[in-house]
RNA sequence: CGGGGCGUGGCGCAGUCCGGUAGCGCGUCCGCUUUGGGAGCGGAAGGCCCCGGGUUCGAAUCCCGGCGCCCCGACCA
C-alpha cells in the first residue's frame, strides 16, 4: 500500500480494497489491542461532521445530551431477561480495581439502557416529568469474534438516545421520528439511500418490543444496517421500576425508546461511494470540500501562486466553503492530486501562472471532469458544484441500489439464484414463521433485512411465501449482510 | 471456535525447501537539479529476522511449544 501505487480494485477483492482504502486515506489504523481501531484525524473529521449534523437534528427535536458512566454493575444487565441473554456473551467485565478484587464486577457498557433506566427511576415521578428526551455520545464495547475497521470493532463510538413517555403511542411516534431523522441524515448528508422498516423477531434488539432499522446496499451488494430505533415498550421500565403518577392519579410504567448510529456509518460511506482511486466523500461531510493546489516553477512563481491560493482559500472560507491550500514544497502537483483523491476531497482547484494570467482556476471534480472556471464569482460557482455533486452521489447510489434489487421473484429458484448470484435486495412474500426465516438463512446466507415501510413496498404485494408457498403475511426484503 | 494465509528496518516483500554472519522496493534524512497527473541523481540513517526452548561449531532458515495479525466461515451494531 505504501509502496504499490494503485489500490486493490473493488472487482479484484472488495474486502482488500476496503482495507487498502482506509490505510491510504489514513482514516484509521489497527491498534495494539486486538479488534480495536485507532481513528486517525482524517477519519475522525468525518465523524465530527456526522456528529454535528445529527446533534443539531436531535436538539431541534427537543433532545438533550447527557453522559452516563462507562461502568455498569453486572447485576444491572441481568435485570431484563432478553437483554442479558443478548449481551452477556459479548461484554467485557472489570473484576479488579485499585489492586483489589471488586465486590461486584463491573461491565463495560455494551449499551446503556440499564444504567440509564436505573437513573430514570430516580428522576421520574409524575406525568409532568415526561417525556424525557435524552441522548449521549460515547464509546461502547462489545467483544466481537470477528472485527473489521469501522464496520465491527470491539470498541466503537456512537450516540445512544433514550426516551421515556407517558403513553405507548408517544413512544411509537418517537421511535419513528428518530428513524426519519436517521434516514434524512443518511440521504441528505451521506448521500446514502436507505430502506427503512421493521426488524423481525429474531433480528430485533434484545429487550425491545420492536426494532426499526435503516438498511443500505453497499457496492458489493451486501446490506449494511446503518442505524436502529427501538420501541422498548415497558420492558425496561418494569425491570427498573420506572413508574410515574398519571394525570388521573394512577401509577403506570413509562414507555421508552432507544436508538443509535455509530462510526459504522463511516464504513457505509466508504462502501457506498468509494472507487478504485480511494474515498469519495460527499461534500456535506467532507473535512475539506475544496483543496487548492498552487503550481509553480520558479521561486517567484511559488511565492505568487501560494499567495493567490491563500487569498482564494480566505475568500471561499468567508463564503462558508471548507477550503484549504496544499502549499507543501518538494512534492509535485501530480502527487498531491493522487493524495487528495484518495482522501476523497470533492473539488480540487489547480492554480498556476497560466490560470492567474487568465483569471481562472482549473477545477477538477472527484467524481470526474476537469475544466477552467473564472475566479470572478468563484465561491458561488463552487457552492453550486458542491450541491450538484451531493445530489449526483445520492442519485447514483439510488440507481445502483435499484439496479441491484429484485422485486417479486416468480419462484423459490429465482429467489435463490439471485442471492447466489450477484445478490442485492430481494423483495418477496414471507409467511412470518421464524423457522422458515432460519431455514432461508441457513440455505442462502441471506437474512431478512426488514419488513419495509410503506413507501418501499412493491406496487404489487406478494400473496404467497417465497419459500413455503403458504399465504404471505408480509413482504420482506432479504440480502446478505455485514 | 473451525479452515486458510502470514509474522524479516516505518510500510510492502525476497531469503526458509537445501543452516554459513540479512537483502530489495517504497518511505525517511541531507545536497543539487526539479514542479500543469505519483520527479531525477548523489549520499546517509535505520533490523533482539514475533516470543521461549531445543538441535548444531554456527539458526531468519531445522525441531518443539507459545503469542499475535489478516482473510474465509459459524455469532453479532
Amino acid at each position: 500500500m505504501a509502496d504499490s501505487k494503485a489500490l486493490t480494485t473493488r472487482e479484484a477483492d472488495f474486502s482488500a480494497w476496503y482495507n487498502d482504502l482506509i490505510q491510504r486515506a489514513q482514516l484509521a489504523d489497527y491498534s495494539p489491542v486486538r479488534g480495536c481501531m485507532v481513528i486517525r484525524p482524517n477519519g475522525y473529521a468525518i465523524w465530527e461532521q456526522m456528529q454535528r449534523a445529527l446533534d443539531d437534528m436531535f436538539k431541534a427535536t427537543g433532545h438533550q445530551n447527557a453522559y452516563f458512566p462507562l461502568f455498569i454493575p453486572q447485576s444491572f444487565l441481568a435485570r431484563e431477561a432478553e437483554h442479558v441473554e443478548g449481551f452477556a456473551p459479548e461484554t467485557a467485565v472489570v473484576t479488579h480495581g485499585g489492586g483489589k478484587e471488586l465486590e461486584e464486577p463491573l461491565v463495560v457498557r455494551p449499551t446503556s439502557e440499564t444504567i440509564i433506566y436505573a437513573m430514570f427511576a430516580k428522576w421520574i415521578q409524575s406525568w409532568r416529568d415526561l417525556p424525557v428526551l435524552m441522548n449521549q455520545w460515547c464509546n461502547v464495547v462489545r467483544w466481537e469474534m470477528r472485527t473489521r475497521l469501522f464496520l465491527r470493532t470491539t470498541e466503537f463510538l456512537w450516540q445512544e438516545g433514550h426516551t421515556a413517555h407517558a403513553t405507548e403511542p408517544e413512544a411509537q411516534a418517537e421511535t419513528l421520528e428518530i428513524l426519519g431523522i436517521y434516514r434524512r441524515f443518511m440521504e441528505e448528508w451521506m448521500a446514502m439511500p436507505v430502506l427503512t422498516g421493521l426488524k423481525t423477531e429474531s433480528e430485533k434488539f434484545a429487550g425491545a418490543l420492536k426494532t426499526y432499522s435503516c438498511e443500505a446496499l453497499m457496492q458489493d451488494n451486501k446490506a449494511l444496517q446503518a442505524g436502529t430505533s427501538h420501541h422498548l415498550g415497558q420492558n425496561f421500565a418494569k425491570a427498573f421500576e420506572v413508574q410515574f403518577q398519571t394525570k388521573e392519579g394512577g401509577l403506570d410504567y413509562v414507555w421508552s425508546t432507544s436508538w443509535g448510529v455509530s462510526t459504522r456509518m463511516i464504513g457505509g460511506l466508504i462502501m457506498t461511494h468509494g472507487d478504485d482511486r480511494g474515498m469519495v466523500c460527499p461534500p456535506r461531510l467532507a473535512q475539506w470540500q475544496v483543496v487548492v493546489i498552487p503550481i509553480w516553477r520558479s521561486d517567484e512563481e511559488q511565492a505568487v501562486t501560494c499567495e493567490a491560493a491563500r487569498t482564494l482559500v480566505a475568500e471561499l472560507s468567508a463564503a462558508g466553503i471548507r477550503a484549504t491550500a496544499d502549499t507543501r514544497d518538494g512534492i509535485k502537483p501530480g502527487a498531491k492530486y493522487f493524495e487528495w483523491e484518495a482522501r476523497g476531497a470533492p473539488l480540487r482547484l489547480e492554480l498556476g501562472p497560466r490560470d492567474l494570467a487568465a483569471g481562472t482556476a482549473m477545477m477538477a471534480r472527484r467524481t470526474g471532469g476537469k475544466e477552467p472556471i473564472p475566479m470572478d464569482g468563484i465561491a458561488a460557482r463552487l457552492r453550486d458544484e458542491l450541491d450538484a455533486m451531493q445530489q449526483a452521489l445520492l442519485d447514483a447510489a439510488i440507481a445502483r441500489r435499484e439496479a441491484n434489487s429484485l422485486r417479486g421473484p416468480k419462484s423459490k429458484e429465482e429467489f435463490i439464484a439471485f442471492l447466489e448470484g450477484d445478490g442485492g435486495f430481494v423483495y418477496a412474500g414471507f409467511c412470518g414463521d421464524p423457522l422458515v426465516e432460519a431455514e432461508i438463512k441457513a440455505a442462502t446466507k441471506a437474512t431478512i433485512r426488514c419488513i419495509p415501510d410503506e413507501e418501499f413496498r412493491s406496487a404489487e404485494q406478494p400473496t404467497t411465501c417465497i419459500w413455503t408457498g403458504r399465504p404471505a403475511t408480509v413482504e420482506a426484503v432479504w440480502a446478505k449482510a455485514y
Side-chain angles (χ1 to χ4, degrees):
Chain A
M1 282 158 293
D3 62 5
S4 65
K5 295 198 165 171
L7 291 176
T8 305
T9 62
R10 288 164 294 176
E11 200 188 342
D13 186 342
F14 193 80
S15 186
W17 165 80
Y18 178 82
N19 290 332
D20 281 5
L21 185 153
I22 288 170
Q23 296 300 329
R24 180 67 65 84
Q26 299 185 2
L27 299 176
D29 208 344
Y30 298 97
S31 94
V33 180
R34 174 185 128 88
C36 292
M37 74 188 291
V38 176
I39 303 176
R40 303 181 67 175
N42 291 348
Y44 201 78
I46 295 171
W47 180 237
E48 286 179 313
Q49 293 293 132
M50 289 177 160
Q51 279 184 303
R52 194 164 308 149
L54 282 164
D55 203 59
D56 286 348
M57 289 171 157
F58 298 151
K59 301 269 173 65
T61 45
H63 300 84
Q64 281 189 299
N65 286 330
Y67 185 79
F68 293 83
L70 173 70
F71 298 127
I72 298 175
Q74 195 169 43
S75 58
F76 278 30
L77 214 62
R79 291 223 221 158
E80 212 286 331
E82 272 188 51
H83 194 64
V84 66
E85 199 182 321
F87 283 107
E90 52 185 79
T91 53
V93 181
V94 178
T95 57
H96 287 72
K100 287 189 207 138
E101 185 164 357
L102 301 173
E103 281 185 30
E104 179 182 359
L106 298 171
V107 167
V108 179
R109 64 181 164 217
T111 177
S112 304
E113 272 78 4
T114 57
I115 194 153
I116 287 179
Y117 289 103
M119 298 310 295
F120 277 9
K122 289 177 69 173
W123 300 337
I124 298 169
Q125 273 103 46
S126 148
W127 62 275
R128 293 178 196 277
D129 297 325
L130 297 173
V132 173
L133 305 175
M134 215 170 269
N135 177 64
Q136 80 167 339
W137 291 95
C138 67
N139 58 339
V140 286
V141 167
R142 298 179 187 177
W143 219 258
E144 299 291 349
M145 297 200 256
R146 202 175 140 206
T147 57
R148 301 212 47 198
L149 295 176
F150 291 116
L151 298 175
R152 176 170 292 103
T153 45
T154 297
E155 178 190 12
F156 59 94
L157 304 183
W158 77 344
Q159 58 69 215
E160 48 178 323
H162 296 273
T163 70
H165 308 263
T167 67
E168 192 280 334
E170 281 178 59
Q172 173 68 14
E174 169 77 11
T175 309
L176 294 179
E177 178 175 35
I178 295 298
L179 187 71
I181 286 175
Y182 285 163
R183 178 189 171 184
R184 215 169 76 227
F185 171 75
M186 289 171 197
E187 290 180 352
E188 294 178 5
W189 292 76
M190 298 175 68
M192 181 175 82
V194 291
L195 227 56
T196 60
L198 188 65
K199 285 290 191 184
T200 60
E201 277 300 298
S202 66
E203 297 274 331
K204 77 172 171 58
F205 176 73
L209 219 56
K210 287 191 271 187
T211 291
Y212 294 87
S213 73
C214 293
E215 301 284 333
L217 193 65
M218 304 293 101
Q219 291 186 62
D220 61 349
N221 283 336
K222 284 170 79 173
L224 183 75
Q225 178 176 302
T228 48
S229 185
H230 316 289
H231 184 337
L232 302 176
Q234 294 178 310
N235 291 349
F236 285 92
K238 285 177 179 167
F240 288 89
E241 295 286 324
V242 188
Q243 287 181 304
F244 69 103
Q245 286 190 295
T246 64
K247 225 179 229 179
E248 294 73 30
L251 203 56
D252 198 3
Y253 292 106
V254 299
W255 297 82
S256 61
T257 79
S258 72
W259 27 275
V261 293
S262 72
T263 38
R264 170 182 258 196
M265 290 192 295
I266 296 172
L269 204 59
I270 294 166
M271 292 192 291
T272 296
H273 303 299
D275 64 19
D276 292 343
R277 297 181 151 227
M279 177 99 182
V280 175
C281 195
R284 294 186 82 177
L285 289 178
Q287 177 181 19
W288 302 119
Q289 297 170 311
V290 175
V291 176
V292 183
I293 299 183
I295 291 157
W296 63 81
R297 287 170 188 280
S298 63
D299 288 354
E300 300 88 279
E301 280 181 359
Q302 179 175 12
V304 171
T305 55
C306 284
E307 183 52 33
R310 280 189 280 268
T311 304
L312 178 54
V313 163
E315 180 187 343
L316 297 178
S317 301
I321 292 172
R322 294 191 292 275
T324 188
D326 187 346
T327 57
R328 285 177 296 174
D329 199 355
I331 300 177
K332 291 182 73 168
K336 294 181 183 178
Y337 302 167
F338 278 95
E339 185 177 322
W340 286 102
E341 280 169 2
R343 288 179 55 174
L347 292 176
R348 178 178 79 233
L349 289 178
E350 304 167 14
L351 205 57
R354 293 205 296 266
D355 304 289
L356 291 181
T360 61
M362 185 62 79
M363 178 191 70
R365 299 178 195 84
R366 178 61 181 81
T367 48
K370 180 165 164 173
E371 61 187 273
I373 60 168
M375 291 290 276
D376 215 33
I378 194 167
R381 170 65 191 274
L382 295 178
R383 170 49 56 205
D384 289 346
E385 287 286 346
L386 292 168
D387 290 346
M389 186 181 295
Q390 183 78 32
Q391 186 62 45
L393 286 172
L394 176 62
D395 291 345
I398 291 173
R400 174 175 55 73
R401 181 187 69 189
E402 291 309 306
N404 291 289
S405 294
L406 172 66
R407 286 180 187 269
K410 297 283 177 287
S411 65
K412 187 169 167 178
E413 289 67 37
E414 188 184 355
F415 175 85
I416 294 171
F418 180 80
L419 289 169
E420 285 181 349
D422 290 339
F425 285 138
V426 48
Y427 297 65
F430 174 50
C431 60
D433 184 343
L435 294 175
V436 172
E437 187 181 352
E439 195 180 316
I440 294 175
K441 184 178 176 183
T444 65
K445 310 250 190 279
T447 49
I448 294 180
R449 301 319 306 153
C450 67
I451 295 157
D453 286 336
E454 194 164 359
E455 71 164 289
F456 296 105
R457 288 178 205 155
S458 304
E460 201 171 321
Q461 281 293 288
T463 53
T464 59
C465 175
I466 192 67
W467 203 257
T468 62
R470 302 200 294 240
T473 55
V474 290
E475 177 179 44
V477 177
W478 277 267
K480 288 181 187 164
Y482 274 98

